[in-house]
DNA sequence: TCTTAAAGGAGAATGGTTCTCTATAAAGAA
DNA sequence: TTCTTTATAGAGAACCATTCTCCTTTAAGA
C-alpha cells in the first residue's frame, strides 16, 4: 500500500511498524506509543505534545527518547518534519511526503489543503533553474476561519 | 518606486534609507554598512556573513548589532527572512516580499527562480480552506547545476 | 556646542534540539 | 523458559543561533 493511500490510522500504524521491522529496528513500548499517536493525530503535533501524550501511559519516558524516535521515523521517510526556526518543529505522520500546509499564525493550527496542479509548477522550476529538485516546502500563513472571527 | 521594481542596488539602498528616515530611525555607520551589503548582495547572506563583511570596515562591530539591524529591517518589511531550523537564517534584501526560492542542499546556494502563475494557486488555497492568507513560503530543495556535476 | 534619547558593544541568557554515558530490555538462540 | 547480545531508553549536560540586559557611545535636532 502506498503511503498516500492510507485511509485509516490503523493502516498507517501497520505501515510504520512494517517499516521498522523490515529495517530490524526493535518495537519498544515507547516506539509503539509514538507510532500510535502519529498514526491517529489529526493535527500536526510537536515533540513536546507527543511527549505529553506518551507520558500518560509511560510516565518515565524521556524527552530525548521522543526526539530519537522522531528522528528515526524521519530518516525512514515515515514522518514529515515541518521545521520552524522560531518555535517547535511540527510533524505529520499521516502523509510523510512533501505537501502544502496552511498555518494559522494565531492559534498555530496546521491544515492540509487539497491542491491541484502543483507538479507543473515544480517542473517549471526545474527547467528554469537547472536544479534537480529533491523535495519542497510550501507553507501558507494566515488566519483560520475561527481566528478571523475573534480578531 | 515599488519594491519589486528596483533595477540597481543603488535603488534598493536609497529605498531602504528612505524607509528608515521616514520612520525617524537614525542612519548610523553600522546601519549604512548593512544596507549597502544587503542592497548589493546577489546571494542570500546569513547574519554571520553580513557581520564578517561589516567588520572589514568597522572591526569593532558587535554581532548583536547586526541582529538588531536585521530585525529592524524585517519589521519595516525591507528584508525577507528565510528561516531554517537547522542552520542560520538567510536574508533577501533585494526582494523583501515572499517569493519562491531554490536551495541547493549541498553548497547552500539560494536562488530566485522566475515563476508564472502562483497567484491562482494561492487563491485556490484560500477558497478551499477559508483561511485569509497573509504570506507564504515556497522552497524547492535539490542540487544546483554545479553540485550535480560533482556528486 | 549641547542635550538626550536612540543605538551600539559585550557578554550572559534562552530554548529547542542533540549528545554522552550508563542502565535497561527486546528478540533471537539454546 | 532462560540466556546473551546489543540496540534502546533515561537523565542531564552540551550545543548554538538568536535574544536579552545593561551600560556606554553617539546621531541629530536645538
Amino acid at each position: 500500500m502506498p503511503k498516500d493511500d492510507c485511509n485509516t490510522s490503523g493502516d498507517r500504524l501497520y505501515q510504520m511498524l512494517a517499516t521498522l521491522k523490515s529495517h530490524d529496528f526493535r518495537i519498544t513500548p515507547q516506539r509503539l506509543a509514538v507510532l500510535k499517536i502519529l498514526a491517529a493525530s489529526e493535527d500536526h503535533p510537536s515533540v513536546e505534545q507527543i511527549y505529553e501524550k506518551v507520558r500518560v501511559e509511560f510516565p518515565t519516558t524521556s524527552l530525548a527518547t521522543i526526539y530519537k524516535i522522531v528522528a528515526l521515523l524521519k530518516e525512514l521517510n515515515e514522518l514529515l518534519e515541518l521545521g520552524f526556526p522560531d518555535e517547535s518543529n511540527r510533524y505529520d505522520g499521516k502523509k510523510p511526503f512533501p505537501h502544502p500546509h496552511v498555518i494559522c499564525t494565531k492559534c498555530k493550527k496546521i491544515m492540509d489543503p487539497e491542491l491541484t496542479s502543483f507538479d507543473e509548477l515544480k517542473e517549471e522550476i526545474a527547467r528554469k533553474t537547472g536544479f534537480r529538485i529533491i523535495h519542497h516546502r510550501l507553507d501558507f500563513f494566515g488566519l483560520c476561519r475561527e481566528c478571523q472571527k475573534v480578531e
Side-chain angles (χ1 to χ4, degrees), chain A:
Chain A
M1 186 188 301
K3 282 178 192 129
D4 57 353
D5 198 29
C6 289
N7 293 315
T8 72
S9 67
D11 287 349
R12 271 303 288 151
L13 177 60
Y14 182 81
Q15 198 167 57
M16 290 193 277
L17 275 172
T19 300
L20 281 183
K21 283 177 185 164
S22 73
H23 287 80
D24 288 327
F25 288 110
R26 296 179 183 171
I27 309 302
T28 65
Q30 295 86 344
R31 281 180 177 168
L32 188 56
V34 171
L35 292 193
K36 281 180 181 171
I37 289 164
L38 289 175
S41 64
E42 290 299 324
D43 50 358
H44 296 68
S46 65
V47 164
E48 193 72 34
Q49 289 168 334
I50 299 169
Y51 177 60
E52 293 305 332
K53 287 191 179 180
V54 171
R55 277 177 82 92
V56 173
E57 198 179 354
F58 303 99
T60 64
T61 304
S62 167
L63 185 57
T65 297
I66 311 296
Y67 272 104
K68 285 179 203 162
I69 295 173
V70 160
L72 175 61
L73 292 172
K74 194 173 58 169
E75 184 63 29
L76 293 172
N77 288 313
E78 290 292 340
L79 188 62
L80 180 71
E81 180 180 67
L82 295 177
F84 297 96
D86 47 352
E87 50 197 294
S88 297
N89 293 347
R90 304 278 291 269
Y91 295 89
D92 191 335
K94 309 197 92 162
K95 293 162 69 181
F97 44 85
H99 59 279
H101 287 92
V102 191
I103 301 163
C104 181
T105 52
K106 193 171 183 186
C107 71
K108 310 300 178 189
K109 175 167 49 198
I110 300 181
M111 292 172 53
D112 293 354
E114 294 298 319
L115 188 56
T116 57
S117 78
F118 183 76
D119 287 345
E120 29 200 279
L121 206 71
K122 200 161 147 185
E123 277 164 30
E124 183 183 347
I125 295 282
R127 193 174 60 247
K128 287 185 175 170
T129 63
F131 267 58
R132 183 197 308 161
I133 306 294
I134 311 291
H135 60 111
H136 67 270
R137 172 89 179 261
L138 173 53
D139 293 344
F140 293 92
F141 299 89
L143 291 172
C144 68
R145 280 203 182 88
E146 291 69 33
C147 289
Q148 282 180 56
K149 288 175 197 160
V150 184
E151 280 283 337

